[in-house]
Amino acid sequence: MKRTVTVLGTLLLSSRAFALVPPDYQDPPSDFRAEIEAGLQINTGNTESTSFNGRTKLVYDTRKAKQEAVIKGYFASDSEKTTAEKYELQLQSNYKISPGYVFGRGDFSWDQFGSYTHQSTMSVGYGFDAIKSYKTKLSLEIGPGYRYNQPIDSIDDPNPEAKSDVILRTAAKFEQRLHEYTSFGADLTGEIGEENTTVTLDMGLKSILFQDWAFKIGVNVRYTEVVPAGSEQTDTTTTFNLLYTFQ
Protein backbone atom coordinates (compact mmCIF):
# COMPACT_ATOMS: atom_id res chain seq x y z
CA MET A 1 0.00 0.00 0.00
CA LYS A 2 2.83 2.40 0.91
CA ARG A 3 4.58 1.60 -2.37
CA THR A 4 1.41 2.41 -4.31
CA VAL A 5 0.98 5.76 -2.53
CA THR A 6 4.64 6.62 -3.21
CA VAL A 7 4.34 5.85 -6.93
CA LEU A 8 1.12 7.86 -7.26
CA GLY A 9 2.66 10.79 -5.42
CA THR A 10 5.71 10.77 -7.67
CA LEU A 11 3.57 10.69 -10.80
CA LEU A 12 1.39 13.52 -9.48
CA LEU A 13 4.38 15.74 -8.70
CA SER A 14 5.94 15.00 -12.08
CA SER A 15 2.75 15.90 -13.92
CA ARG A 16 2.52 19.18 -11.99
CA ALA A 17 6.15 19.98 -12.83
CA PHE A 18 5.50 19.38 -16.55
CA ALA A 19 2.38 21.54 -16.30
CA LEU A 20 4.39 24.40 -14.79
CA VAL A 21 7.42 24.01 -17.11
CA PRO A 22 6.61 22.25 -20.40
CA PRO A 23 9.45 20.06 -21.77
CA ASP A 24 9.71 22.19 -24.96
CA TYR A 25 9.82 25.50 -23.07
CA GLN A 26 12.24 28.16 -24.33
CA ASP A 27 13.08 31.53 -22.83
CA PRO A 28 11.45 34.45 -24.68
CA PRO A 29 13.77 36.26 -27.11
CA SER A 30 15.77 39.10 -25.60
CA ASP A 31 16.15 42.61 -27.04
CA PHE A 32 19.81 42.58 -26.01
CA ARG A 33 22.59 40.62 -27.74
CA ALA A 34 26.35 40.67 -27.30
CA GLU A 35 29.36 39.13 -29.04
CA ILE A 36 32.83 38.89 -27.53
CA GLU A 37 35.75 37.56 -29.56
CA ALA A 38 39.51 37.43 -29.01
CA GLY A 39 42.64 35.93 -30.51
CA LEU A 40 46.17 35.62 -29.10
CA GLN A 41 49.40 34.53 -30.78
CA ILE A 42 52.75 34.07 -29.00
CA ASN A 43 55.94 33.03 -30.80
CA THR A 44 59.14 32.03 -28.97
CA GLY A 45 62.48 30.54 -30.00
CA ASN A 46 64.06 31.94 -33.16
CA THR A 47 61.24 34.48 -33.44
CA GLU A 48 59.82 36.18 -30.38
CA SER A 49 56.60 38.09 -30.95
CA THR A 50 53.17 38.56 -29.44
CA SER A 51 49.93 39.66 -31.06
CA PHE A 52 46.45 40.15 -29.66
CA ASN A 53 43.14 41.30 -31.10
CA GLY A 54 39.73 41.61 -29.53
CA ARG A 55 36.26 42.72 -30.53
CA THR A 56 33.05 43.35 -28.58
CA LYS A 57 29.67 44.01 -30.20
CA LEU A 58 26.60 45.13 -28.23
CA VAL A 59 23.13 45.32 -29.83
CA TYR A 60 19.87 46.51 -28.27
CA ASP A 61 17.06 45.98 -30.79
CA THR A 62 13.47 46.95 -30.00
CA ARG A 63 10.35 47.44 -32.10
CA LYS A 64 11.00 51.15 -32.69
CA ALA A 65 14.78 51.53 -32.50
CA LYS A 66 18.12 49.71 -32.64
CA GLN A 67 21.31 50.69 -30.82
CA GLU A 68 24.65 49.15 -31.77
CA ALA A 69 28.20 49.57 -30.45
CA VAL A 70 31.39 47.85 -31.65
CA ILE A 71 34.78 48.09 -29.93
CA LYS A 72 37.95 46.68 -31.54
CA GLY A 73 41.57 46.49 -30.44
CA TYR A 74 44.77 45.28 -32.15
CA PHE A 75 48.21 44.96 -30.58
CA ALA A 76 51.48 43.36 -31.73
CA SER A 77 55.09 43.46 -30.53
CA ASP A 78 58.40 41.70 -31.01
CA SER A 79 61.36 41.32 -28.69
CA GLU A 80 62.44 44.93 -29.28
CA LYS A 81 59.37 47.15 -29.73
CA THR A 82 55.66 47.49 -30.33
CA THR A 83 54.85 46.99 -34.01
CA ALA A 84 51.09 47.59 -34.08
CA GLU A 85 48.56 49.29 -31.81
CA LYS A 86 45.11 50.25 -33.01
CA TYR A 87 41.71 50.87 -31.39
CA GLU A 88 38.33 51.41 -33.03
CA LEU A 89 34.92 52.49 -31.76
CA GLN A 90 31.74 52.36 -33.85
CA LEU A 91 28.37 53.65 -32.63
CA GLN A 92 25.09 53.62 -34.54
CA SER A 93 21.51 54.44 -33.57
CA ASN A 94 18.63 53.52 -35.90
CA TYR A 95 15.09 54.84 -35.63
CA LYS A 96 12.75 52.52 -37.50
CA ILE A 97 10.22 53.94 -39.94
CA SER A 98 8.13 52.29 -42.64
CA PRO A 99 9.94 51.35 -44.76
CA GLY A 100 13.54 51.39 -43.59
CA TYR A 101 15.18 53.48 -40.87
CA VAL A 102 17.02 56.75 -40.29
CA PHE A 103 20.35 56.58 -38.50
CA GLY A 104 23.07 58.54 -36.77
CA ARG A 105 26.56 57.06 -36.72
CA GLY A 106 30.02 57.76 -35.34
CA ASP A 107 33.27 56.00 -36.34
CA PHE A 108 36.46 56.67 -34.37
CA SER A 109 39.92 55.07 -34.69
CA TRP A 110 43.32 55.56 -33.08
CA ASP A 111 46.25 53.92 -34.90
CA GLN A 112 49.77 54.57 -33.63
CA PHE A 113 51.40 53.21 -36.79
CA GLY A 114 48.75 53.99 -39.42
CA SER A 115 48.90 56.62 -42.16
CA TYR A 116 46.40 58.59 -40.02
CA THR A 117 46.85 58.32 -36.26
CA HIS A 118 43.35 59.60 -35.46
CA GLN A 119 40.25 59.42 -37.64
CA SER A 120 36.70 60.48 -36.77
CA THR A 121 33.62 60.32 -38.97
CA MET A 122 30.11 61.48 -38.04
CA SER A 123 27.24 60.75 -40.42
CA VAL A 124 23.44 60.62 -40.66
CA GLY A 125 21.22 59.11 -43.32
CA TYR A 126 18.66 56.57 -44.42
CA GLY A 127 18.87 52.78 -44.66
CA PHE A 128 16.61 49.92 -45.63
CA ASP A 129 16.60 46.12 -45.88
CA ALA A 130 16.89 45.20 -49.55
CA ILE A 131 16.77 41.47 -48.66
CA LYS A 132 15.58 40.00 -45.37
CA SER A 133 15.04 36.26 -45.05
CA TYR A 134 16.17 33.45 -42.78
CA LYS A 135 19.27 32.72 -44.91
CA THR A 136 20.07 36.05 -46.55
CA LYS A 137 20.10 39.66 -45.32
CA LEU A 138 21.22 42.78 -47.18
CA SER A 139 20.95 46.33 -45.82
CA LEU A 140 21.86 49.49 -47.75
CA GLU A 141 22.66 52.91 -46.23
CA ILE A 142 23.44 56.37 -47.60
CA GLY A 143 23.85 59.80 -46.07
CA PRO A 144 26.09 62.87 -45.61
CA GLY A 145 28.75 63.24 -42.95
CA TYR A 146 31.86 64.98 -41.68
CA ARG A 147 35.35 63.45 -41.41
CA TYR A 148 38.42 64.50 -39.41
CA ASN A 149 41.87 62.93 -40.03
CA GLN A 150 45.19 63.51 -38.26
CA PRO A 151 48.12 62.40 -40.49
CA ILE A 152 51.10 60.60 -38.97
CA ASP A 153 54.36 62.49 -38.49
CA SER A 154 56.96 61.97 -41.20
CA ILE A 155 60.44 63.21 -42.08
CA ASP A 156 59.02 65.38 -44.85
CA ASP A 157 56.28 66.77 -42.58
CA PRO A 158 57.10 66.42 -38.86
CA ASN A 159 54.07 68.50 -37.78
CA PRO A 160 51.26 67.73 -40.23
CA GLU A 161 47.99 69.62 -40.08
CA ALA A 162 44.74 67.79 -39.48
CA LYS A 163 42.47 67.27 -42.49
CA SER A 164 38.69 67.71 -42.41
CA ASP A 165 36.17 67.03 -45.15
CA VAL A 166 32.45 66.82 -45.88
CA ILE A 167 31.67 63.34 -47.18
CA LEU A 168 28.98 61.14 -48.63
CA ARG A 169 28.85 57.79 -46.83
CA THR A 170 27.44 54.66 -48.47
CA ALA A 171 27.32 51.19 -46.92
CA ALA A 172 26.16 47.68 -47.77
CA LYS A 173 25.80 45.08 -44.98
CA PHE A 174 25.45 41.47 -46.13
CA GLU A 175 24.82 38.27 -44.16
CA GLN A 176 24.47 34.76 -45.59
CA ARG A 177 23.71 31.60 -43.61
CA LEU A 178 25.60 28.86 -45.48
CA HIS A 179 24.07 26.10 -43.36
CA GLU A 180 22.89 25.60 -39.80
CA TYR A 181 26.29 26.06 -38.17
CA THR A 182 28.17 28.34 -40.60
CA SER A 183 27.52 31.93 -41.71
CA PHE A 184 29.32 34.58 -43.75
CA GLY A 185 29.13 38.36 -43.32
CA ALA A 186 30.57 41.29 -45.27
CA ASP A 187 30.27 45.05 -44.74
CA LEU A 188 31.37 47.38 -47.55
CA THR A 189 31.63 51.08 -46.68
CA GLY A 190 32.64 54.02 -48.86
CA GLU A 191 33.34 57.58 -47.68
CA ILE A 192 33.57 59.95 -50.65
CA GLY A 193 34.93 63.44 -50.01
CA GLU A 194 36.44 66.30 -51.95
CA GLU A 195 39.82 65.93 -50.19
CA ASN A 196 39.95 62.15 -49.80
CA THR A 197 38.05 58.91 -50.40
CA THR A 198 38.18 55.70 -48.37
CA VAL A 199 36.74 52.23 -48.98
CA THR A 200 36.55 49.59 -46.23
CA LEU A 201 35.66 45.90 -46.61
CA ASP A 202 35.10 43.92 -43.42
CA MET A 203 34.45 40.17 -43.92
CA GLY A 204 33.97 37.31 -41.49
CA LEU A 205 33.30 33.56 -41.68
CA LYS A 206 31.82 32.10 -38.48
CA SER A 207 31.40 28.42 -37.62
CA ILE A 208 29.66 27.29 -34.43
CA LEU A 209 31.72 24.86 -32.35
CA PHE A 210 29.19 24.13 -29.58
CA GLN A 211 26.33 26.02 -27.96
CA ASP A 212 27.30 29.73 -27.84
CA TRP A 213 30.94 29.28 -28.88
CA ALA A 214 32.19 29.74 -32.43
CA PHE A 215 35.40 30.02 -34.44
CA LYS A 216 35.69 33.10 -36.66
CA ILE A 217 38.05 34.11 -39.45
CA GLY A 218 37.99 37.84 -40.18
CA VAL A 219 39.57 40.01 -42.89
CA ASN A 220 39.50 43.81 -42.86
CA VAL A 221 40.78 45.74 -45.89
CA ARG A 222 40.87 49.56 -45.90
CA TYR A 223 41.89 51.64 -48.93
CA THR A 224 42.69 55.35 -48.56
CA GLU A 225 43.15 57.33 -51.75
CA VAL A 226 45.35 60.11 -50.32
CA VAL A 227 47.94 59.19 -47.66
CA PRO A 228 51.03 60.94 -46.23
CA ALA A 229 54.35 60.42 -48.00
CA GLY A 230 55.88 57.05 -47.22
CA SER A 231 52.55 55.42 -46.22
CA GLU A 232 50.71 52.60 -47.97
CA GLN A 233 47.24 53.19 -49.38
CA THR A 234 45.91 49.76 -48.36
CA ASP A 235 45.85 48.29 -44.85
CA THR A 236 44.85 44.65 -44.32
CA THR A 237 44.15 42.88 -41.02
CA THR A 238 43.44 39.14 -40.74
CA THR A 239 42.19 37.58 -37.48
CA PHE A 240 41.52 34.05 -36.19
CA ASN A 241 39.36 34.25 -33.08
CA LEU A 242 37.14 32.42 -30.65
CA LEU A 243 33.73 34.10 -30.36
CA TYR A 244 31.14 33.88 -27.58
CA THR A 245 27.56 35.08 -28.06
CA PHE A 246 25.01 35.69 -25.32
CA GLN A 247 21.62 37.36 -25.02
Side-chain angles (χ1 to χ4, degrees), residues 4-67:
T4 303
V5 172
T6 301
V7 172
L8 290 175
T10 302
L11 292 175
L12 181 59
L13 291 174
S14 299
S15 63
R16 287 182 178 178
F18 278 113
L20 293 174
V21 183
D24 58 349
Y25 172 81
Q26 294 183 353
D27 292 331
S30 173
D31 295 332
F32 176 77
R33 178 171 58 89
E35 295 179 354
I36 299 175
E37 63 179 86
L40 176 66
Q41 180 176 320
I42 300 175
N43 298 321
T44 59
N46 294 321
T47 301
E48 294 188 5
S49 64
T50 303
S51 63
F52 169 82
N53 76 88
R55 171 182 173 272
T56 299
K57 181 178 181 180
L58 307 175
V59 179
Y60 184 67
D61 192 358
T62 63
R63 186 174 60 87
K64 293 185 177 181
K66 180 180 179 181
Q67 318 296 331

Side-chain angles (χ1 to χ4, degrees), residues 177 179-183 205-216 242-243 245:
R177 185 182 295 272
H179 59 72
E180 185 178 359
Y181 300 105
T182 305
S183 60
L205 180 65
K206 182 173 66 175
S207 180
I208 296 176
L209 300 176
F210 54 91
Q211 293 184 345
D212 299 323
W213 290 92
F215 176 71
K216 181 180 177 182
L242 279 177
L243 181 148
T245 304

Side-chain angles (χ1 to χ4, degrees), residues 137-154:
K137 295 180 181 179
L138 175 63
S139 299
L140 303 176
E141 297 178 352
I142 187 170
Y146 173 82
R147 179 176 58 207
Y148 169 90
N149 292 334
Q150 177 62 54
I152 193 172
D153 299 346
S154 64

Side-chain angles (χ1 to χ4, degrees), residues 150-163:
Q150 177 62 54
I152 193 172
D153 299 346
S154 64
I155 298 177
D156 297 335
D157 190 359
N159 296 300
E161 294 184 359
K163 309 290 184 180

Side-chain angles (χ1 to χ4, degrees), residues 159-219:
N159 296 300
E161 294 184 359
K163 309 290 184 180
S164 59
D165 202 3
V166 176
I167 64 166
L168 175 67
R169 177 183 175 274
T170 61
K173 303 178 180 181
F174 176 76
E175 294 181 20
Q176 178 67 47
R177 185 182 295 272
L178 302 179
H179 59 72
E180 185 178 359
Y181 300 105
T182 305
S183 60
F184 171 78
D187 293 352
L188 179 63
T189 304
E191 297 179 1
I192 304 169
E194 183 178 355
E195 300 292 334
N196 206 347
T197 295
T198 64
V199 179
T200 304
L201 176 61
D202 194 4
M203 301 180 293
L205 180 65
K206 182 173 66 175
S207 180
I208 296 176
L209 300 176
F210 54 91
Q211 293 184 345
D212 299 323
W213 290 92
F215 176 71
K216 181 180 177 182
I217 301 174
V219 178

